[in-house]
mmCIF file of all heavy atoms in Angstrom:
data_model
loop_
_atom_site.group_PDB
_atom_site.id
_atom_site.type_symbol
_atom_site.label_atom_id
_atom_site.label_comp_id
_atom_site.label_asym_id
_atom_site.label_seq_id
_atom_site.Cartn_x
_atom_site.Cartn_y
_atom_site.Cartn_z
ATOM 1 N N PHE A 1 -6.200 1.142 -4.183
ATOM 2 C CA PHE A 1 -5.279 1.354 -3.097
ATOM 3 C C PHE A 1 -5.759 2.529 -2.232
ATOM 4 O O PHE A 1 -5.961 3.640 -2.742
ATOM 5 C CB PHE A 1 -3.886 1.634 -3.636
ATOM 6 C CG PHE A 1 -2.793 1.453 -2.614
ATOM 7 C CD1 PHE A 1 -2.093 0.254 -2.547
ATOM 8 C CD2 PHE A 1 -2.465 2.485 -1.756
ATOM 9 C CE1 PHE A 1 -1.091 0.091 -1.613
ATOM 10 C CE2 PHE A 1 -1.461 2.312 -0.816
ATOM 11 C CZ PHE A 1 -0.769 1.098 -0.742
ATOM 12 N N VAL A 2 -5.938 2.271 -0.933
ATOM 13 C CA VAL A 2 -6.558 3.253 -0.030
ATOM 14 C C VAL A 2 -5.553 3.754 1.001
ATOM 15 O O VAL A 2 -4.837 2.956 1.631
ATOM 16 C CB VAL A 2 -7.783 2.631 0.681
ATOM 17 C CG1 VAL A 2 -8.371 3.614 1.669
ATOM 18 C CG2 VAL A 2 -8.823 2.188 -0.354
ATOM 19 N N ILE A 3 -5.503 5.077 1.149
ATOM 20 C CA ILE A 3 -4.637 5.731 2.150
ATOM 21 C C ILE A 3 -5.477 6.789 2.874
ATOM 22 O O ILE A 3 -6.166 7.597 2.233
ATOM 23 C CB ILE A 3 -3.425 6.431 1.508
ATOM 24 C CG1 ILE A 3 -2.667 5.504 0.585
ATOM 25 C CG2 ILE A 3 -2.473 6.967 2.569
ATOM 26 C CD1 ILE A 3 -1.682 6.202 -0.312
ATOM 27 N N ALA A 4 -5.405 6.788 4.205
ATOM 28 C CA ALA A 4 -6.198 7.777 4.972
ATOM 29 C C ALA A 4 -5.449 9.103 5.056
ATOM 30 O O ALA A 4 -4.238 9.122 5.375
ATOM 31 C CB ALA A 4 -6.480 7.255 6.366
ATOM 32 N N ALA A 5 -6.144 10.187 4.764
ATOM 33 C CA ALA A 5 -5.479 11.499 4.773
ATOM 34 C C ALA A 5 -4.989 11.861 6.166
ATOM 35 O O ALA A 5 -3.962 12.544 6.307
ATOM 36 C CB ALA A 5 -6.495 12.557 4.289
ATOM 37 N N ASP A 6 -5.682 11.409 7.219
ATOM 38 C CA ASP A 6 -5.311 11.806 8.580
ATOM 39 C C ASP A 6 -4.193 10.916 9.138
ATOM 40 O O ASP A 6 -3.696 11.183 10.238
ATOM 41 C CB ASP A 6 -6.520 11.773 9.503
ATOM 42 C CG ASP A 6 -7.167 10.381 9.550
ATOM 43 O OD1 ASP A 6 -7.112 9.667 8.537
ATOM 44 O OD2 ASP A 6 -7.699 10.032 10.611
ATOM 45 N N LYS A 7 -3.785 9.857 8.402
ATOM 46 C CA LYS A 7 -2.739 8.973 8.896
ATOM 47 C C LYS A 7 -1.569 8.849 7.956
ATOM 48 O O LYS A 7 -0.437 8.526 8.380
ATOM 49 C CB LYS A 7 -3.300 7.587 9.188
ATOM 50 C CG LYS A 7 -4.379 7.590 10.271
ATOM 51 C CD LYS A 7 -4.791 6.186 10.684
ATOM 52 C CE LYS A 7 -5.777 6.236 11.835
ATOM 53 N NZ LYS A 7 -6.179 4.877 12.288
ATOM 54 N N GLY A 8 -1.781 9.098 6.700
ATOM 55 C CA GLY A 8 -0.683 9.039 5.733
ATOM 56 C C GLY A 8 -0.184 7.637 5.477
ATOM 57 O O GLY A 8 -0.786 6.651 5.906
ATOM 58 N N TRP A 9 0.913 7.556 4.756
ATOM 59 C CA TRP A 9 1.505 6.262 4.412
ATOM 60 C C TRP A 9 2.036 5.567 5.641
ATOM 61 O O TRP A 9 2.747 6.159 6.443
ATOM 62 C CB TRP A 9 2.633 6.473 3.418
ATOM 63 C CG TRP A 9 3.105 5.231 2.756
ATOM 64 C CD1 TRP A 9 4.020 4.351 3.232
ATOM 65 C CD2 TRP A 9 2.660 4.717 1.496
ATOM 66 N NE1 TRP A 9 4.196 3.299 2.362
ATOM 67 C CE2 TRP A 9 3.364 3.498 1.271
ATOM 68 C CE3 TRP A 9 1.752 5.148 0.553
ATOM 69 C CZ2 TRP A 9 3.196 2.729 0.127
ATOM 70 C CZ3 TRP A 9 1.583 4.397 -0.606
ATOM 71 C CH2 TRP A 9 2.289 3.175 -0.808
ATOM 72 N N GLN A 10 1.680 4.254 5.814
ATOM 73 C CA GLN A 10 2.117 3.521 6.987
ATOM 74 C C GLN A 10 2.649 2.160 6.580
ATOM 75 O O GLN A 10 2.728 1.820 5.395
ATOM 76 C CB GLN A 10 0.942 3.401 7.976
ATOM 77 C CG GLN A 10 0.591 4.765 8.601
ATOM 78 C CD GLN A 10 -0.431 4.642 9.699
ATOM 79 O OE1 GLN A 10 -1.499 4.094 9.503
ATOM 80 N NE2 GLN A 10 -0.081 5.152 10.879
ATOM 81 N N ALA A 11 3.015 1.377 7.633
ATOM 82 C CA ALA A 11 3.749 0.121 7.390
ATOM 83 C C ALA A 11 3.048 -0.816 6.428
ATOM 84 O O ALA A 11 3.634 -1.278 5.439
ATOM 85 C CB ALA A 11 4.004 -0.575 8.719
ATOM 86 N N GLN A 12 1.746 -1.100 6.675
ATOM 87 C CA GLN A 12 1.061 -2.042 5.792
ATOM 88 C C GLN A 12 0.735 -1.434 4.454
ATOM 89 O O GLN A 12 0.448 -2.178 3.500
ATOM 90 C CB GLN A 12 -0.220 -2.571 6.465
ATOM 91 C CG GLN A 12 0.003 -3.863 7.260
ATOM 92 C CD GLN A 12 1.008 -3.613 8.393
ATOM 93 O OE1 GLN A 12 0.734 -2.847 9.311
ATOM 94 N NE2 GLN A 12 2.140 -4.289 8.348
ATOM 95 N N SER A 13 0.819 -0.119 4.337
ATOM 96 C CA SER A 13 0.709 0.487 3.026
ATOM 97 C C SER A 13 1.820 -0.036 2.129
ATOM 98 O O SER A 13 1.596 -0.380 0.977
ATOM 99 C CB SER A 13 0.795 2.022 3.104
ATOM 100 O OG SER A 13 -0.237 2.567 3.942
ATOM 101 N N SER A 14 3.011 -0.114 2.677
ATOM 102 C CA SER A 14 4.158 -0.621 1.918
ATOM 103 C C SER A 14 3.998 -2.092 1.611
ATOM 104 O O SER A 14 4.284 -2.555 0.487
ATOM 105 C CB SER A 14 5.458 -0.389 2.687
ATOM 106 O OG SER A 14 5.720 0.988 2.861
ATOM 107 N N ASP A 15 3.488 -2.870 2.585
ATOM 108 C CA ASP A 15 3.287 -4.318 2.353
ATOM 109 C C ASP A 15 2.303 -4.550 1.225
ATOM 110 O O ASP A 15 2.500 -5.377 0.348
ATOM 111 C CB ASP A 15 2.813 -5.003 3.621
ATOM 112 C CG ASP A 15 3.863 -4.999 4.714
ATOM 113 O OD1 ASP A 15 5.071 -4.855 4.378
ATOM 114 O OD2 ASP A 15 3.510 -5.119 5.899
ATOM 115 N N HIS A 16 1.203 -3.811 1.251
ATOM 116 C CA HIS A 16 0.164 -4.002 0.236
ATOM 117 C C HIS A 16 0.645 -3.498 -1.139
ATOM 118 O O HIS A 16 0.323 -4.095 -2.174
ATOM 119 C CB HIS A 16 -1.126 -3.301 0.643
ATOM 120 C CG HIS A 16 -1.833 -4.000 1.765
ATOM 121 N ND1 HIS A 16 -3.197 -3.998 1.908
ATOM 122 C CD2 HIS A 16 -1.372 -4.739 2.806
ATOM 123 C CE1 HIS A 16 -3.541 -4.715 2.982
ATOM 124 N NE2 HIS A 16 -2.427 -5.144 3.530
ATOM 125 N N ARG A 17 1.410 -2.390 -1.137
ATOM 126 C CA ARG A 17 1.994 -1.916 -2.388
ATOM 127 C C ARG A 17 2.909 -3.003 -2.986
ATOM 128 O O ARG A 17 2.847 -3.265 -4.181
ATOM 129 C CB ARG A 17 2.819 -0.647 -2.116
ATOM 130 C CG ARG A 17 3.664 -0.196 -3.313
ATOM 131 C CD ARG A 17 4.855 0.622 -2.838
ATOM 132 N NE ARG A 17 5.727 -0.141 -1.954
ATOM 133 C CZ ARG A 17 6.640 0.400 -1.191
ATOM 134 N NH1 ARG A 17 6.797 1.720 -1.158
ATOM 135 N NH2 ARG A 17 7.423 -0.363 -0.425
ATOM 136 N N ASP A 18 3.714 -3.617 -2.142
ATOM 137 C CA ASP A 18 4.653 -4.646 -2.617
ATOM 138 C C ASP A 18 3.894 -5.865 -3.150
ATOM 139 O O ASP A 18 4.299 -6.495 -4.133
ATOM 140 C CB ASP A 18 5.609 -5.056 -1.492
ATOM 141 C CG ASP A 18 6.561 -3.969 -1.101
ATOM 142 O OD1 ASP A 18 6.680 -2.987 -1.857
ATOM 143 O OD2 ASP A 18 7.172 -4.063 -0.016
ATOM 144 N N ALA A 19 2.785 -6.177 -2.502
ATOM 145 C CA ALA A 19 1.989 -7.312 -2.973
ATOM 146 C C ALA A 19 1.385 -7.019 -4.334
ATOM 147 O O ALA A 19 1.416 -7.878 -5.240
ATOM 148 C CB ALA A 19 0.881 -7.625 -1.967
ATOM 149 N N ILE A 20 0.858 -5.830 -4.514
ATOM 150 C CA ILE A 20 0.287 -5.447 -5.822
ATOM 151 C C ILE A 20 1.363 -5.470 -6.892
ATOM 152 O O ILE A 20 1.170 -5.973 -8.006
ATOM 153 C CB ILE A 20 -0.343 -4.033 -5.729
ATOM 154 C CG1 ILE A 20 -1.595 -4.091 -4.851
ATOM 155 C CG2 ILE A 20 -0.676 -3.508 -7.125
ATOM 156 C CD1 ILE A 20 -2.157 -2.712 -4.528
ATOM 157 N N ASN A 21 2.523 -4.959 -6.541
ATOM 158 C CA ASN A 21 3.649 -4.935 -7.488
ATOM 159 C C ASN A 21 4.090 -6.359 -7.841
ATOM 160 O O ASN A 21 4.348 -6.673 -9.013
ATOM 161 C CB ASN A 21 4.816 -4.145 -6.864
ATOM 162 C CG ASN A 21 5.814 -3.697 -7.898
ATOM 163 O OD1 ASN A 21 5.480 -3.456 -9.050
ATOM 164 N ND2 ASN A 21 7.071 -3.606 -7.486
ATOM 165 N N ALA A 22 4.167 -7.218 -6.811
ATOM 166 C CA ALA A 22 4.588 -8.597 -7.051
ATOM 167 C C ALA A 22 3.594 -9.362 -7.914
ATOM 168 O O ALA A 22 3.974 -10.198 -8.734
ATOM 169 C CB ALA A 22 4.751 -9.312 -5.718
ATOM 170 N N LEU A 23 2.307 -9.045 -7.759
ATOM 171 C CA LEU A 23 1.273 -9.730 -8.531
ATOM 172 C C LEU A 23 1.144 -9.154 -9.939
ATOM 173 O O LEU A 23 0.388 -9.698 -10.765
ATOM 174 C CB LEU A 23 -0.074 -9.602 -7.809
ATOM 175 C CG LEU A 23 -0.162 -10.436 -6.533
ATOM 176 C CD1 LEU A 23 -1.405 -10.022 -5.725
ATOM 177 C CD2 LEU A 23 -0.220 -11.921 -6.832
ATOM 178 N N GLY A 24 1.854 -8.052 -10.215
ATOM 179 C CA GLY A 24 1.825 -7.512 -11.554
ATOM 180 C C GLY A 24 0.523 -6.841 -11.928
ATOM 181 O O GLY A 24 0.153 -6.768 -13.102
ATOM 182 N N ILE A 25 -0.223 -6.341 -10.940
ATOM 183 C CA ILE A 25 -1.510 -5.708 -11.210
ATOM 184 C C ILE A 25 -1.233 -4.282 -11.742
ATOM 185 O O ILE A 25 -0.756 -3.433 -11.007
ATOM 186 C CB ILE A 25 -2.402 -5.640 -9.965
ATOM 187 C CG1 ILE A 25 -2.699 -7.060 -9.470
ATOM 188 C CG2 ILE A 25 -3.685 -4.889 -10.249
ATOM 189 C CD1 ILE A 25 -3.451 -7.106 -8.148
ATOM 190 N N THR A 26 -1.543 -4.054 -12.979
ATOM 191 C CA THR A 26 -1.197 -2.787 -13.628
ATOM 192 C C THR A 26 -2.383 -1.819 -13.738
ATOM 193 O O THR A 26 -2.176 -0.632 -14.027
ATOM 194 C CB THR A 26 -0.650 -3.023 -15.048
ATOM 195 O OG1 THR A 26 -1.628 -3.751 -15.792
ATOM 196 C CG2 THR A 26 0.647 -3.823 -15.014
#
């Protein structure tokens, strides 16, 4: 999971987090 230091958490960060969570990738 990649986050840019100069931009911080953004909209698609949440979408991709939710996808990882939904897929059960631990």
